[in-house]
Amino acid sequence: MFKHIVMWKFKEFAEGKTKEENMDWVKSHLEALPAIIPCLKSVKVIKDVTRSPRSFDMMLITEFETPEDLQTYLVHPDHKEVSSYVALVKEARGSVDYFE
């Protein structure tokens, strides 16, 4: 499987919502994507519990059969909707892609 991991730090307040409200919106919308995007084999969204200043606030782990499937996912309109919203409410982003 090909895995795509993304981590975000969220702004304390953005788009009229608190950090927690934005994280909940992003989490619920990401978790809905496997039913919409067939090449997306699994989604796991994890919120940080330590709240350390060095920690990211949320992590996304997605699984695909191939790197090409990741590219299909990235340009899918439903993913782009979530991604566009995240761009407005995040402070920082990191990612890792690998085969397992």
Side-chain angles (χ1 to χ4, degrees):
M1 292 300 261
F2 186 73
K3 293 198 178 190
H4 173 65
I5 297 175
V6 182
M7 296 176 294
W8 302 281
K9 281 189 180 261
F10 284 80
K11 297 175 184 175
E12 289 300 323
F13 191 82
E15 297 301 302
K17 296 182 179 128
T18 65
K19 178 191 279 194
E20 280 301 317
E21 289 169 329
N22 280 321
M23 289 171 60
D24 289 342
W25 188 96
V26 170
K27 183 177 189 312
S28 68
H29 283 74
L30 287 170
E31 290 175 340
L33 293 178
I36 302 166
I37 306 173
C39 66
L40 178 56
K41 300 303 178 195
S42 73
V43 166
K44 187 171 192 174
V45 181
I46 302 159
K47 289 183 179 182
D48 178 62
V49 295
T50 64
R51 306 286 173 135
S52 164
R54 66 186 177 144
S55 297
F56 281 84
D57 297 312
M58 183 181 282
M59 180 171 67
L60 167 69
I61 304 170
T62 53
E63 290 186 332
F64 304 89
E65 292 289 333
T66 66
E68 293 78 22
D69 287 344
L70 170 61
Q71 295 308 310
T72 299
Y73 161 78
L74 292 175
V75 299
H76 191 282
D78 291 291
H79 170 263
K80 286 180 123 353
E81 177 187 355
V82 179
S83 181
S84 294
Y85 187 79
V86 170
L88 299 172
V89 300
K90 61 122 173 111
E91 288 182 359
R93 177 188 183 278
S95 66
V96 175
D97 300 312
Y98 67 98
F99 282 102
E100 183 171 66

